[in-house]
Each structure stands twice: as C-alpha cells, then as structure tokens.
Amino acid sequence: MRDPDTDVSSFTHRRGVHGRMDWWAKPVGMLLLAGLLLVLGYVLWTISSSDGYARELISAGVGAVITLITAALVAMIALRDRIRTLLDKQTLRRFAGETWDERAIHVGQMHIPQVCIVASCSQGEEWTERTTVSYVQTEAVAPDDLVRVAREARLPALLEQRETEGFVLTNGSQAALTRATLSLVGQGRNRRPHYTLGIGTSEYFDFATVNVQLDEPLPTPDGSSESLRRRWGRYPGSVLDVNGLPAAATIGSGTAVVTKDERLILGIRASTFVARSSPVAGRRGVHVVAEGLLPDDVDDTGAFCPRVGALRGVREELHIGPRADNIAAVTRLIETGFCFDQLRWQPYFTFVARIDRTWDEIHTAMSSARDAWEVETLISLPFDIEHAGVRRLLRGDHPDLALVSNHAGAALWFALLHKHGYSQMRDELS
C-alpha cells in the first residue's frame, strides 16, 4: 500500500486541492464581504440624516463596495479560466496516465489479457466521434542491436519450419508507430482528446523474430539467455509509451465481418505465421480478419489511413470489395476501437465491416477468394451477445472454438460493444 505522506502523486494531489481552494477563496470571500458591506450601508443609509455628513460618508463607502464587487467579478472570470485549465490537465492525466500499468479488458467472466484500450466505441457511436487522431510521416525505424541479433538467431529456424509445416511467412515493409502524443483540441466544453501519431516503416521479419517472441529466451555469445523484454527492461503500458522503444511498434488491424442476415464470419486460420495453431488443445482457433497495416495504406490525400488497410484485408482474405468480381461489397465500415497490445508492442485498430450478402451467399462463393490460403475454412455465429456460443467464445470456455489471440478477442469485444452497449455486454458476460 502506498504511503500517502511520502507518495509523490498524493503530495501533488494535495497541493492541487489546496491551490484550487485558494483560487476559490479569494473571489468568493470578496463577494461575501461586498454583500455584508452593502447590507450594512443600506441599514446606515436608512437611519442617517439626508443632509448630514454621515450620509455622504456612507455614499463614498457604497462606491467603494461597488468597486470591490467589480474586482470580484474580474477575479471570478480569472477563476473560470483557471478551473478550465486545471480540468484540461486532469483530463490529460486521466487519458495519459490511467493505462501506464499492464491492463486487460475484463468484463464479467471475459478476460482479454495485455490489451490497453486507447479509445473505445459505445453503443451506436464510433470511437472517432469522441477522440480524434492525425498521422505524420517519420523516418524508418532503425533496428536496435538486439533486434539484429534476434533476427539472425531465429529467422533460419522459422524459414525451415515454414517449409516443413507449410505456413505462410514472407517479409515486407510494415507500417510502424514511432511516436505518439496526446493533446486536447476544441473550444469550451467541446474539447476532446487528440492523438498525433508518427508513422514509420519496419520489416515483417523483425516483427516475427522480435515482437512475436519478446518473452522467449534468446541465447547470446556471452552465455545468457534472457528474453528480449527483460534485457531491454521496457514494459510499455500505453500507446504513449512507444516513444523510443527498441523494437518497432508494428501497426495491425482487426475487422469483424457481419453479413446482411446478422451473422459473424470467423475464419479458421491455421496456415499463417502468428495464428497457425489452435491456442487451446482440442479446439479450433478462430479469428476475425486480421491484417498488418502497410505504408501504402493511405487515403486520397496520401495520409496514412487504417481504414484503407482494413478494407484491403477484407478484400484479400474474403474477396469482399468494390469490384464487380468480388463476392460481396462492404456497405459500412465502422471504427470500433483503438488499443495497444502490450504482449507484442503493437497498436491495433478494430472495425466492423457490414456487407450486402447473406452468410449462405458468402459461404457458397468463398472458393473464389484471391487469398483463400489465409483461411482454411469459414464458420459463422449469430452476431448477438445473447447467443450462448458467442458469449462462451468471448469468455474462453467454448467447447469447440477458441480465439487465436488477444487481438481477436479485442476486435470481437469492440464489435459487440458497438451493437449492444456496455450495460448489456456486462450483464450477458457476468
């Protein structure tokens, strides 16, 4: 337990409270004093002679009181500005400080480990309606010496394993978050948090040999075999902690695809590198459409855009897109969440893609998907938290299926949260 007499945050809190009391006391005290003087002046005015010296003295006193009231009102305006500044600072501390420690999404019997929520949707409302974000281009991420050591030590075995097990593992340029800052924008009560994110590039082989294996022992010539996480001594708890990380914070996205007849499409993804095996023995591992974002995922203005990457993933994995030969089209892409995966040091954007075809139509046409190698087979569940199978999948006690990663759990949580709202989600998962 923290000692409130020695804890720095408690000390600064007490100072902040006393400071705010001082700011309140001055103008309020001046107004109270002015009120008392006005009452006293009125009483003396009524009992004084109209042509006497006392009434002239009282008149002068009333003028002084009016001056005091004016000064108090000016102080009140200054107080309002001061309070707004303090509230702004408190809001920033809340957004930037509450997630420094390791977190999980924990609601009822659902537990999604090592996921820190940066911004969340609510029922019927996208997260971007309350939080804004902008992207700036930065330099490519320069690999740390240990990144190069890990890649040289681990990559040959991964490539050999790829040949024997047949999973997909290819290198390529990836979008990476190099820095993140938080500020408040807007006017008056409409001020909202705004994230400015720096976007650089890294390579997927670095992600595969470092980020995916941060907690795996790495033997080195000096005979030690600690994990990279322990060697670096870095334990980022928030997206704001990416500044100066020794390994690239490669950006990912997860999209829950929902059909016209309210069915959630899930893929059995056993042939890709990260999700190539079931996370729980005896169960099939399922995932939403997961995609590593690329530097080329940009909008019409040339700015980095996670929405573009999410749509690309849906198009490549499920053959759903705007072309005439696609098996369906996305009618709406909903931005449901922005989180930070502490397990892999990965910022992660989540979406719901609503499409214009039913589950039966999609399942029938799936064989024409261009990148069908990413999905061995498809299954569907009702897109409804009241369905027992969906609840059990989120809780992790489904007898046949298991989400392959905390990423998949976060994407499914945000998708259902947008549809049902927190109260119903909490009640159904409890």
Side-chain angles (χ1 to χ4, degrees), residues 48-254:
S48 64
S49 173
S50 60
D51 56 353
Y53 176 75
R55 178 158 291 191
E56 293 182 4
L57 184 61
I58 293 171
S59 299
V62 170
V65 170
I66 293 174
T67 301
L68 182 64
I69 292 175
T70 303
L73 291 175
V74 172
M76 289 295 288
I77 294 174
L79 171 66
R80 181 197 62 187
D81 294 338
R82 174 66 173 175
I83 290 175
R84 189 175 72 173
T85 300
L86 288 171
L87 290 175
D88 283 354
K89 290 180 179 179
Q90 289 172 356
T91 302
L92 284 176
R93 282 196 296 269
R94 183 175 70 252
F95 274 88
E98 284 186 346
T99 57
W100 291 112
D101 299 326
E102 184 174 302
R103 288 293 186 92
I105 304 178
H106 190 186
V107 179
Q109 298 177 38
M110 181 195 73
H111 183 79
I112 304 173
Q114 293 182 284
V115 174
C116 161
I117 297 177
V118 180
S120 172
C121 67
S122 58
Q123 186 173 15
E125 183 179 67
E126 301 180 54
W127 71 267
T128 50
E129 295 180 38
R130 293 178 294 176
T131 304
T132 57
V133 61
S134 60
Y135 305 94
V136 295
Q137 200 68 30
T138 64
E139 298 294 328
V141 177
D144 181 89
D145 289 340
L146 282 178
V147 171
R148 287 189 285 268
V149 170
R151 179 164 170 163
E152 292 173 0
R154 293 169 171 170
L155 186 57
L158 282 177
L159 296 177
E160 182 178 350
Q161 190 178 6
R162 177 187 66 180
E163 298 304 317
T164 57
E165 296 184 15
F167 62 82
V168 176
L169 175 64
T170 58
N171 198 22
S173 182
Q174 303 286 303
L177 185 62
T178 58
R179 66 171 184 262
T181 58
L182 174 62
S183 59
L184 290 178
V185 297
Q187 298 293 327
R189 295 181 180 180
N190 295 322
R191 296 166 74 81
R192 62 178 62 185
H194 177 83
Y195 286 90
T196 302
L197 306 180
I199 306 299
T201 58
S202 62
E203 293 189 8
Y204 188 80
F205 278 172
D206 288 344
F207 176 76
T209 55
V210 176
N211 300 66
V212 177
Q213 304 182 62
L214 279 172
D215 296 302
E216 297 296 322
L218 178 66
T220 56
D222 61 8
S224 61
S225 59
E226 283 188 319
S227 69
L228 287 171
R229 197 188 302 270
R230 290 184 61 86
R231 288 179 190 224
W232 281 321
R234 298 294 297 273
Y235 302 92
S238 160
V239 72
L240 299 178
D241 280 347
V242 301
N243 304 312
L245 279 181
T250 305
I251 305 172
S253 72

Side-chain angles (χ1 to χ4, degrees), residues 372-392:
W373 48 262
E374 290 194 8
V375 182
E376 289 189 354
T377 186
L378 290 178
I379 64 170
S380 82
L381 290 171
F383 185 53
D384 194 331
I385 192 59
E386 295 184 6
H387 186 267
V390 175
R391 288 199 306 272
R392 298 191 70 176

Side-chain angles (χ1 to χ4, degrees), residues 25-46:
K26 292 178 181 178
V28 171
M30 292 172 68
L31 286 175
L32 288 175
L33 178 59
L36 290 174
L37 290 176
L38 282 177
V39 172
L40 179 60
Y42 175 77
V43 173
L44 293 176
W45 178 274
T46 59

Side-chain angles (χ1 to χ4, degrees), residues 158-159 161-170 204 267-279 284-288 290 316-317 366 370-378 404:
L158 282 177
L159 296 177
Q161 190 178 6
R162 177 187 66 180
E163 298 304 317
T164 57
E165 296 184 15
F167 62 82
V168 176
L169 175 64
T170 58
Y204 188 80
I268 308 293
R269 303 188 61 195
S271 59
T272 53
F273 169 62
V274 175
R276 65 187 184 276
S277 60
S278 176
R284 292 182 295 174
V286 295
H287 211 300
V288 298
E316 292 177 351
E317 186 168 318
M366 184 56 207
R370 180 168 62 88
D371 286 344
W373 48 262
E374 290 194 8
V375 182
E376 289 189 354
T377 186
L378 290 178
V404 297

